[in-house]
Amino acid sequence: MKEEMPYKLQLTEKEIPTQWYNVRADMKEKPAPLVNPATGKAATLEELSQVFCEELAKQELDNDTAYVDIPGEILDFYKMYRPSPLVRAYCLEKKLDTPAHIFYKFEGNNTSGSHKLNSAIAQAFYAKAQGLKGVTTETGAGQWGTALSMACAYLGLECDVFMVKCSYEQKPFRREVMRTFGANVTPSPSDKTAVGRKILQEFPGTTGSLGCAISEAVESAVTREGRRYVLGSVLNQVLLHQSVIGLETKTALDKYGVKADVIIGCAGGGSNLGGLISPFVGQMLRGEANYQIIAIEPASCPSFTRGVYAYDFCDTGRICPLAKMYTLGSSFMPSAIHAGGLRFHGMSTILSELYHQHLIEARTVRQTEVFQAAEDFARCEGILPAPESSHAIKAAIDEALRCKESGESKNIVFGLTGTGYFDLVAYQKFNDHDLTDYIPSEEEIAASIAKLPKI
Ligand SMILES: *Cc1c(COP(=O)(O)O)cnc(C)c1O
């Protein structure tokens, strides 16, 4: 490693990747295809194109093309906020007194405050290119809806957002950002859709979940003219777009002569982690290098660590295609933790297959220890992290402390996916010692897994 490493492993605008990387191309065992619940067969391009934009449906199904050109208009948009910083966490290292070197890739440096903008602009671009009027989506914590509304405003598209009710209530300011960017925002479950009305009847008083909101957004997209549904995580296409994170990270590490040992990311639907690790996993799959890759999930919604690998619905309303993934069951209702973006019962099929092949591992962390890590990080690195991102911080700190015990100076790289300015109600609870941990019981998980579709 070079002697004097700067705080920021800087890249120039020219070093922003001009192609996304599709890790599926290098996987021998491909992720399982989406299945149409009506036919029981792999979903076709034609079927997917009724829900998604056609080009995105093609990307969803493409297991073979390794590199996909990033259209010029998307690249121009990327240049407004990319390359994102890869920062050496000198202050955190010092505070932990660890021989480990810690690096974080910070995706919160844009107004939407998270990595979700990387895919939002791509999805909005393809919708516009297809001549659509607008797109419909759900949002959990609000980051995806914010990112999409920014992208739609930029391209002149309409944007309808179903927002998980607990976030809608916890984060009124998020809603106002979205409205400022021109989006229509509805708390979910709502009575605007048939599936929303059904969920409200079954679970009165529910604070909602990503799964519910997805069902509503899909229904709203397919029942109206000139609309398609877009999704901020889980799907293959989203991981493809998010590969820009990993490609930049790898370019910067290579430029400064750093070989990562451990790569850590939080896992909700898997898009930031999938994007961050894709180029590194590609090397592992091609036998060129080895890394320890760790997915971090909340103890309250432990899809990898306590779920099963099976076909399941992506949404509570059971109207979306089935995906083979690590899942807690689509009827699993996660507790209202403050990392809204991690409250999803399933996981990306790509990451699920990589986990199944033992190429990545997974750990859980509890909400209270996550906020403690967030506070420690904020005080020395000067960034107020999103609660989701703080799951990765917690794990990176643990890893660095392990290095302190063993005396190893590993290079730890983690994804800092966003900022927490709209999560201050959660921070307030933490500061007032009002935060609690909720860990679902075996019975609770078993009950929802028992309801998996038989396929
Ligand atoms: C949405 C979100 C996540 C989790 O989603 P993934 O698809 O798993 O990346 C993590 N961090 C932030 C800040 C988010 O907005």
Side-chain angles (χ1 to χ4, degrees):
M1 191 184 304
K2 299 210 177 111
E3 265 314 302
E4 278 183 34
M5 191 182 302
Y7 275 74
K8 284 192 191 142
L9 283 64
Q10 296 275 19
L11 293 183
T12 64
E13 213 168 88
K14 288 211 173 73
E15 290 169 301
I16 298 175
T18 55
Q19 294 180 311
W20 292 301
Y21 168 63
N22 179 7
V23 70
R24 286 168 284 167
D26 281 308
M27 292 171 72
K28 279 192 205 79
E29 253 339 286
K30 304 291 182 192
L34 292 173
V35 160
N36 180 340
T39 62
K41 294 199 183 111
T44 63
L45 178 62
E46 204 190 340
E47 288 163 354
L48 290 181
S49 300
Q50 288 160 16
V51 180
F52 303 119
C53 306
E54 192 166 341
E55 194 56 35
L56 293 167
K58 283 185 188 153
Q59 291 179 359
E60 196 58 33
L61 296 174
D62 187 344
N63 283 341
D64 305 309
T65 310
Y67 288 93
V68 177
D69 286 340
I70 303 177
E73 206 171 341
I74 300 176
L75 210 49
D76 286 343
F77 188 85
Y78 278 171
K79 284 177 192 163
M80 292 196 285
Y81 69 99
R82 308 201 69 85
S84 74
L86 179 66
V87 183
R88 173 80 185 269
Y90 279 117
C91 303
L92 181 63
E93 289 171 19
K94 194 166 164 210
K95 176 166 175 164
L96 299 173
D97 189 24
T98 173
H101 297 175
I102 308 174
F103 303 84
Y104 56 88
K105 180 69 168 165
F106 181 42
E107 291 291 323
N109 239 355
N110 66 75
T111 290
S112 78
S114 82
H115 67 286
K116 296 221 169 60
L117 194 56
N118 302 331
S119 185
I121 187 62
Q123 297 193 42
F125 169 83
Y126 290 116
K128 174 124 189 255
Q130 193 176 327
L132 298 176
K133 248 194 232 148
V135 289
T136 300
T137 198
E138 79 297 326
T139 194
Q143 286 99 328
W144 168 244
T146 308
L148 188 69
S149 59
M150 278 178 71
C152 286
Y154 179 77
L155 294 170
L157 279 174
E158 286 177 28
C159 181
D160 291 304
V161 180
F162 288 87
M163 185 170 187
V164 177
K165 193 183 270 168
C166 71
S167 296
Y168 185 91
E169 285 161 3
Q170 278 170 7
K171 301 180 183 185
F173 298 137
R174 267 271 175 231
R175 178 176 84 212
E176 293 315 315
V177 178
M178 287 186 255
R179 292 179 60 204
T180 303
F181 282 103
N184 304 307
V185 189
T186 306
S188 166
S190 77
D191 57 12
K192 275 195 183 169
T193 63
V195 65
R197 289 188 291 273
K198 185 162 165 255
I199 291 167
L200 280 173
Q201 232 173 23
E202 232 174 288
F203 302 95
T206 173
T207 52
S209 71
L210 267 185
C212 290
I214 294 174
S215 305
E216 290 208 85
V218 171
E219 179 184 322
S220 166
V222 299
T223 53
R224 289 185 307 151
E225 187 66 26
R227 299 288 198 297
R228 288 293 185 282
Y229 168 68
V230 292
L231 178 58
S233 182
V234 185
L235 296 172
N236 299 338
Q237 55 186 275
V238 184
L239 268 72
L240 175 71
H241 308 146
Q242 295 296 358
S243 68
V244 68
I245 304 173
L247 291 164
E248 278 184 10
T249 303
K250 184 155 187 317
T251 304
L253 290 175
D254 289 349
K255 184 171 169 178
Y256 287 87
V258 181
K259 160 74 173 62
D261 296 302
V262 187
I263 306 174
I264 296 170
C266 62
S271 75
N272 86 82
L273 179 67
L276 174 65
I277 68 174
S278 277
F280 299 96
V281 169
Q283 286 184 296
M284 289 166 80
L285 289 164
R286 297 189 301 269
E288 296 166 5
N290 227 339
Y291 303 96
Q292 184 184 17
I293 296 176
I294 315 173
I296 312 300
E297 50 186 20
S300 59
C301 195
S303 323
F304 272 135
T305 48
R306 296 177 67 192
V308 292
Y309 192 30
Y311 267 101
D312 191 12
F313 289 94
C314 292
D315 60 321
T316 316
R318 303 185 151 214
I319 60 176
C320 291
L322 297 156
K324 189 176 179 193
M325 57 187 176
Y326 279 86
T327 179
L328 295 163
S330 65
S331 60
F332 183 78
M333 279 281 174
S335 68
I337 57 160
H338 292 282
L342 305 182
R343 296 178 75 227
F344 182 61
H345 64 273
M347 188 53 67
S348 140
T349 57
I350 297 176
L351 289 189
S352 293
E353 182 54 35
L354 293 174
Y355 183 70
H356 187 66
Q357 294 177 24
H358 304 290
L359 284 160
I360 65 178
E361 53 191 271
R363 292 180 194 161
T364 61
V365 289
R366 284 173 293 112
Q367 175 164 255
T368 49
E369 60 185 10
V370 163
F371 274 83
Q372 185 57 57
E375 184 191 272
D376 293 344
F377 181 83
R379 288 185 187 182
C380 60
E381 290 291 325
I383 291 175
L384 184 76
E388 293 88 350
S389 323
S390 305
H391 286 66
I393 297 175
K394 166 65 182 153
I397 290 177
D398 287 349
E399 206 54 42
L401 291 175
R402 224 165 275 140
C403 287
K404 183 177 174 178
E405 267 173 39
S406 66
E408 285 171 288
S409 82
K410 287 186 186 171
N411 290 321
I412 302 169
V413 177
F414 74 90
L416 188 69
T417 50
T419 49
Y421 297 109
F422 292 106
D423 301 283
L424 292 172
V425 171
Y427 275 96
Q428 179 185 17
K429 284 199 175 145
F430 175 71
N431 291 330
D432 291 341
H433 308 287
D434 264 351
L435 265 195
T436 51
D437 291 321
Y438 179 78
I439 298 178
S441 67
E442 288 302 324
E443 294 73 34
E444 206 176 319
I445 291 178
S448 99
I449 284 175
K451 289 187 206 146
L452 284 178
K454 307 279 176 280
I455 148 158

